[in-house]
Amino acid sequence: MTVAVLEKQLYDVLNAVVLKKMADISAISEATARDDEDVKTAMETLGERSLVVMVGESAMPTDEAVAALVTAAAKHYDEVRQDTVIAQVADKFEAVNQRFLEAMSAWQQVDVGGRKVANDHQDSSYDAKIIDKMDKLVSRLNRQLEVLAERDPRFGTYSTRFDRAMCLVEGGEIDYVSSPTLDSLHNIWFEFHEDLLRTLGRARKE
Amino acid sequence: MEVVAEGYNTFETHKSPRGVVKYLDSPQDVISLIQSGTLTEYILLVRGGTTTFLAPALSTGAIGVITMSGAPESHLGILSREFQTPCVMTAHLTNSDSRYEVGNSDEAHFDEIAKTLEGMTVQLDCAESEVGKVIAIS
């Protein structure tokens, strides 16, 4: 049986569900810059195609979701994948990504006499250095996001989310650095990385 | 009590969760486990630190995780510290010479670990800074 390739709106919604793993309608709407009603309609269609399942108020992807996205991405992003400028953006990101992950681990744990212990966030100068490093890395990524957004505007939503999270962090709400339950810098970064890999048909380096 | 596997400890903790090892291979495995209401009975075994489909299990109360590849700096390592869920990464069997190598480990490496640990009742010991231990208790 031939399965229809997901049209772009369904791709965007399903992609957001897969990136977030578990998300309600409003979170998907924000990530896709679409109205709640459009997302609800798309979600119903995706449910009928057994690509998402609702667990309470949250949508989760089924086993078939990623395969459907991979097939659709190959079609929707064929031109982007041939674009040497985008290939350079992706290559640059890999280096920035490693530095971001190291900064995130340094945010969570500090080295005390060779032992890693949880950062209790009592040393404000230490935290400020890490936040400054993350700010620079996010700024570098934002320049890459601008290039990507010229090919697909949905990549612009990441810049909006980064700006908001960074403002909150700099305003003292430091949970927005790494909390897995907020739209934190780490969550946004991770979603972008996975999104980029799928868009370009690349494999994640372990 | 025997140490059956060891790996990188993602963070030092005196939490020492105990449960039956359950291998999760797909998003559907995670959905089924969450919906079963038995999530906290299991220590979750997954293939890698980039096994992103595990995130919902962590946010809904997973008690412990073992991975067969990946580093503590990976996404899953970062999440395990955020959720304070003990996690042993790139675990290897203590009675086997097989070790994970990036881009150079075949299926047999993962199969051996999954087949050995799945269904075993274990306790995670993550009290040391660097090394996390998987201890068989039955």
Side-chain angles (χ1 to χ4, degrees):
Chain A
M1 188 179 76
T2 304
V3 179
V5 172
L6 288 171
E7 54 265 41
K8 189 61 168 53
Q9 175 160 324
L10 290 177
Y11 177 88
D12 286 352
V13 171
L14 182 60
N15 186 48
V17 173
V18 169
L19 293 173
K20 291 181 177 300
K21 321 301 173 200
M22 193 175 197
D24 61 20
I25 297 288
S26 64
I28 301 299
S29 300
E30 186 187 14
T32 56
R34 295 180 188 277
D35 295 339
D36 282 2
E37 283 307 312
D38 288 346
V39 171
K40 273 184 197 168
T41 303
M43 207 72 89
E44 285 167 10
T45 304
L46 293 168
E48 287 163 7
R49 296 191 193 177
S50 301
L51 294 172
V52 298
V53 60
M54 297 304 291
V55 179
E57 294 296 310
S58 297
M60 290 179 70
T62 64
D63 286 357
E64 289 73 31
V66 170
L69 288 175
V70 167
T71 302
K75 173 174 179 284
H76 295 306
Y77 297 110
D78 181 44
E79 200 172 312
V80 172
R81 291 179 182 187
Q82 314 299 325
D83 190 328
T84 54
V85 173
I86 297 301
Q88 287 169 2
V89 165
D91 291 341
K92 281 181 189 168
F93 174 75
E94 288 297 337
V96 178
N97 181 54
Q98 189 56 40
R99 291 174 60 192
F100 183 84
L101 292 177
E102 288 165 5
M104 195 55 71
S105 292
W107 174 258
Q108 293 179 306
Q109 294 185 302
V110 294
D111 200 313
V112 178
R115 279 180 60 201
K116 286 179 181 164
V117 300
N119 182 3
D120 60 9
H121 301 295
Q122 297 301 305
D123 184 346
S124 57
S125 66
Y126 176 87
D127 280 3
K129 279 182 194 165
I130 305 283
I131 290 170
D132 183 58
K133 189 180 287 183
M134 287 182 186
D135 191 24
K136 288 188 171 76
L137 292 169
V138 167
S139 295
R140 283 182 62 179
L141 179 56
N142 273 334
R143 291 197 290 276
Q144 296 166 356
L145 285 168
E146 284 174 19
V147 178
L148 285 163
E150 289 169 8
R151 273 64 170 185
D152 188 334
R154 77 188 167 80
F155 281 103
T157 62
Y158 289 105
S159 291
T160 306
R161 292 165 62 196
F162 274 128
D163 287 347
R164 185 181 56 203
M166 191 52 82
C167 279
L168 288 164
V169 169
E170 289 174 344
E173 296 193 49
I174 60 172
D175 283 351
Y176 278 86
V177 172
S178 57
S179 171
T181 57
L182 297 171
D183 205 29
S184 63
L185 295 174
H186 175 242
N187 273 0
I188 302 164
W189 189 281
F190 178 78
E191 286 179 27
F192 166 70
H193 189 186
E194 199 162 280
D195 197 354
L196 180 68
L197 293 173
R198 184 153 44 242
T199 298
L200 300 183
R202 293 188 176 197
R204 181 182 285 275
K205 293 173 183 170
E206 183 80 66
Chain B
M1 299 212 295
E2 175 196 2
V3 177
V4 288
E6 288 183 346
Y8 302 121
N9 186 17
T10 59
F11 69 100
E12 199 175 312
T13 177
H14 290 295
K15 283 185 183 176
S16 193
R18 179 182 292 210
V20 176
V21 176
K22 189 175 190 67
Y23 180 52
L24 301 174
D25 190 34
S26 69
Q28 189 56 49
D29 286 350
V30 174
I31 293 170
S32 299
L33 182 57
I34 291 171
Q35 290 180 326
S36 74
T38 60
L39 177 63
T40 57
E41 295 173 18
Y42 297 101
I43 300 295
L44 310 179
L45 174 65
V46 293
R47 186 155 169 144
T50 54
T51 306
T52 58
F53 58 74
L54 191 63
L58 291 179
S59 64
T60 51
I63 60 169
V65 175
I66 305 166
T67 79
M68 295 183 268
S69 63
E73 291 76 23
S74 67
H75 175 64
L76 186 55
I78 291 168
L79 283 186
S80 80
R81 288 190 287 275
E82 287 297 318
F83 285 112
Q84 290 292 292
T85 307
C87 178
V88 178
M89 300 193 80
T90 310
H92 64 266
L93 300 173
T94 53
N95 65 357
S96 168
D97 292 330
S98 184
R99 298 289 183 273
Y100 175 74
E101 292 176 38
V102 178
N104 203 29
S105 288
D106 58 16
E107 288 300 316
H109 172 79
F110 300 106
D111 287 347
E112 182 186 28
I113 297 173
K115 282 177 183 164
T116 302
L117 295 184
E118 179 148 44
M120 187 182 285
T121 301
V122 302
Q123 188 160 11
L124 299 187
D125 178 351
C126 296
E128 290 181 24
S129 180
E130 303 292 334
V131 177
K133 296 173 184 165
V134 181
I135 300 167
I137 56 175
S138 69

